Amino acid sequence: MSTTTLPRKFVMQHAVTSDSMPSSSSNSASVTPRHSPSSSSLSSLGSENALDLKNLNGKMIDTYGNEFEIPDFTIKQIRDAIPAHCFERSALRSLSYAARDLVSVAIVFLLFHMTLTPENVPSKILRGVGWALYTFIQGCFGTGVWVLAHECGHQSFSPSKTLNDTVGFILHTSLLVPYFSWKISHGKHHKSTGHIERDMVFVPKTREQYASKVGRFVHELSELMEETPIATAGSLIGQQLLGWIMYLGINTTGHNYHARQSEGRGKGKKNGWGGGVNHYNPSSPLYEAKDSKLVVWSDLGLAFMLGVLFLIGKNFGWANLAVWYIIPYLWVNHWLVAITYLQHTDPTLPHYEAGTWNFARGAAATVDRDFGFIGRSIMHGIVETHVLHHFVSTIPFYHADEASAAIKPVMGRHYRSNFEGGALGFLKAMWTSARYCQWVEPSEAAEGEGKQVLFYRNRNGLGVPPAEIAAPTES
């Protein structure tokens, strides 16, 4: 299994063999069979073509210093490698998982509510610790519910669109997610993953954008002092607490090229407070006119849910509402942001400009990680099988492991995973990505198409340094 998300000091293993490798020049270059100098076989010619392509693209280097080659496999090769039964969706099986998760949420609430009483636990401190544990556990189960609604949005929950959207709307609304609004923008994310100007979430800043953010010229970034660890920690905390809310409300981390919206809805609109770009406004440039009714339905669902929460707070106390629902809700948001961030932010990941991007390349620019029992059993494997999900999002999660194993030989070295350290490794990766991944830029030695492939760089002295850019001369 390929583990190319690790620094170069780790041994990299490739899943490609001469028997399973597709006839693509990129994969040929990854693991090239040896031939005699006089060989004129097709595989030899393919290897020579791969070398020519590599020379045309120059040398592309990820943040760890690993040399990168642009993927050359097709989405058809990926789909053909997946066993047919992996595409089968079962409404009964999916509903059973939904029932399991909702029953688990109810049991956890009843168990803690009946146990953590002053009569059973006289100590306020111990009761506080117990309720803190409750919020964490409920947040994990709530994330599992969120993932099932995510399955509905991708139509992988069942063969019935009506059932999928009904269940998805109910589950997401219960978590204050505007289901249809999210479903539409999330679909666009899948159609443009890794595209530096069209992707919808965790789009990295370019060198120019980062320089503008910190009030510097582009050529000065290579000379900047290190960002202090406390500043990195502060940014991470803010991202984890408010990232999801700000994404829905002001399109934080989404692209900001709204003037290109085909119906003219984006004219004069931009991300940020008061910019007119959000998941609640039917006229937002995230949507087309045909989507307006669905956005309104999403808003009505949220209004209903907020009304229910208001009645609970009014009748049972606002402190109880905070413990029973609001803090678990923040845990769900935290896990959602952490999962999405680490799926799309890693020192090995490329991003593509328009001339080099295609669907297969963008789908490959994601990472599988490991979150142990919680990830596999409670969160339905969303952490561990995300690469497969970006190639074929209609495969249900209970077939994702088998389908993931099937596509690895096709992807070869372009399959990325980081299972080091399990759940603790997952949390550690958040810090690593925050320190290594500050903006993207082309590799200094890239040529031709390779100049449109961007990799993360940083001001912290970690990994490959930013390109040295000469200061502009005065005329």
Side-chain angles (χ1 to χ4, degrees):
M1 180 173 65
S2 170
T3 55
T4 57
T5 57
L6 301 179
R8 188 169 13 180
K9 66 181 180 179
F10 290 89
V11 177
M12 295 169 60
Q13 302 175 11
H14 304 302
V16 178
T17 67
S18 58
D19 293 329
S20 64
M21 184 169 55
S23 57
S24 67
S25 58
S26 174
N27 285 331
S28 298
S30 298
V31 183
T32 307
R34 295 182 180 180
H35 300 284
S36 66
S38 61
S39 173
S40 60
S41 66
L42 290 176
S43 56
S44 174
L45 293 173
S47 179
E48 292 172 6
N49 291 337
L51 185 59
D52 290 341
L53 183 61
K54 182 177 177 181
N55 291 336
L56 288 174
N57 292 335
K59 194 172 185 179
M60 296 168 285
I61 302 295
D62 71 21
T63 320
Y64 284 141
N66 300 313
E67 190 167 355
F68 176 81
E69 297 169 17
I70 298 175
D72 198 27
F73 50 78
T74 66
I75 188 63
K76 183 179 187 303
Q77 289 173 308
I78 293 289
R79 294 184 70 94
D80 288 349
I82 300 171
H85 67 266
C86 290
F87 295 90
E88 296 175 1
R89 300 161 291 172
S90 168
L92 182 61
R93 187 170 182 179
S94 295
L95 284 169
S96 71
Y97 280 108
R100 184 204 73 171
D101 286 1
L102 294 175
V103 168
S104 297
V105 168
I107 289 175
V108 167
F109 175 78
L110 290 173
L111 181 64
F112 279 81
H113 184 66
M114 296 172 63
T115 302
L116 295 177
T117 64
E119 294 76 18
N120 294 330
V121 185
S123 170
K124 288 185 177 180
I125 294 177
L126 290 180
R127 290 203 306 274
V129 171
W131 281 112
L133 178 62
Y134 161 87
T135 65
F136 171 79
I137 295 173
Q138 207 70 303
C140 290
F141 280 116
T143 305
V145 172
W146 197 102
V147 172
L148 291 181
H150 170 265
E151 293 270 300
C152 292
H154 282 292
Q155 306 304 308
S156 58
F157 190 83
S158 81
S160 169
K161 185 177 184 299
T162 300
L163 178 63
N164 293 338
D165 285 342
T166 301
V167 173
F169 178 75
I170 293 171
L171 296 183
H172 257 175
T173 298
S174 72
L175 296 169
L176 294 179
V177 178
Y179 171 72
F180 292 109
S181 307
W182 161 85
K183 173 186 170 182
I184 295 164
S185 69
H186 188 68
K188 293 180 179 180
H189 158 61
H190 271 258
K191 291 177 181 177
S192 55
T193 304
H195 193 300
I196 197 66
E197 296 180 358
R198 286 173 40 208
D199 203 352
M200 303 294 287
V201 64
F202 282 114
V203 182
K205 289 179 172 59
T206 62
R207 182 168 179 148
E208 293 76 14
Q209 290 167 340
Y210 186 85
S212 176
K213 174 190 173 185
V214 298
R216 298 282 185 159
F217 292 108
V218 171
H219 68 273
E220 295 178 324
L221 290 190
S222 59
E223 304 167 1
L224 282 183
M225 293 180 61
E226 173 188 359
E227 180 180 77
T228 62
I230 194 169
T232 305
S235 296
L236 267 179
I237 292 170
Q239 171 183 289
Q240 296 310 120
L241 277 175
L242 300 173
W244 174 242
I245 296 171
M246 292 178 70
Y247 170 68
L248 293 177
I250 60 175
N251 202 42
T252 297
T253 80
H255 79 73
N256 205 17
Y257 295 91
H258 305 295
R260 302 176 183 176
Q261 205 271 351
S262 60
E263 298 174 342
R265 289 169 153 241
K267 182 178 290 188
K269 295 182 179 179
K270 60 182 179 178
N271 298 345
W273 301 109
V277 184
N278 60 65
H279 284 73
Y280 308 109
N281 186 348
S283 63
S284 170
L286 298 178
Y287 311 109
E288 283 71 51
K290 63 183 176 60
D291 303 321
S292 297
K293 290 182 180 179
L294 294 174
V295 176
V296 171
W297 273 111
S298 300
D299 293 344
L300 291 174
L302 294 183
F304 173 80
M305 186 62 195
L306 288 171
V308 171
L309 293 175
F310 175 81
L311 291 176
I312 292 173
K314 183 178 180 181
N315 289 285
F316 296 95
W318 301 106
N320 283 334
L321 176 65
V323 174
W324 294 347
Y325 182 91
I326 295 176
I327 299 177
Y329 163 80
L330 293 176
W331 271 113
V332 172
N333 292 358
H334 157 72
W335 291 125
L336 171 62
V337 172
I339 290 167
T340 310
Y341 176 64
L342 289 180
Q343 287 166 342
H344 299 287
T345 311
D346 186 85
T348 67
L349 287 180
H351 284 77
Y352 299 94
E353 294 183 353
T356 304
W357 180 91
N358 65 34
F359 180 84
R361 291 171 180 176
T366 52
V367 186
D368 285 344
R369 301 186 187 271
D370 180 31
F371 200 51
F373 171 80
I374 293 175
R376 288 281 182 187
S377 300
I378 299 179
M379 298 180 183
H380 306 295
I382 193 172
V383 178
E384 293 80 5
T385 60
H386 193 71
V387 174
L388 174 277
H389 175 69
H390 265 275
F391 282 107
V392 191
S393 59
T394 54
I395 290 179
F397 74 89
Y398 42 81
H399 291 319
D401 280 317
E402 183 180 359
S404 293
I407 70 172
K408 289 176 187 177
V410 179
M411 294 186 68
R413 67 179 300 174
H414 297 291
Y415 170 75
R416 293 176 179 80
S417 65
N418 186 351
F419 293 156
E420 293 291 322
L424 290 178
F426 176 87
L427 297 174
K428 181 181 177 182
M430 292 182 64
W431 180 257
T432 300
S433 291
R435 295 292 286 172
Y436 274 83
C437 305
Q438 293 185 319
W439 71 84
V440 292
E441 63 181 55
S443 301
E444 282 192 276
E447 299 289 342
E449 192 179 30
K451 289 184 177 180
Q452 296 190 51
V453 183
L454 314 178
F455 291 96
Y456 285 106
R457 299 293 185 257
N458 62 79
R459 58 190 276 195
N460 298 325
L462 299 171
V464 175
E468 296 283 348
I469 298 178
T473 58
E474 294 184 6
S475 56

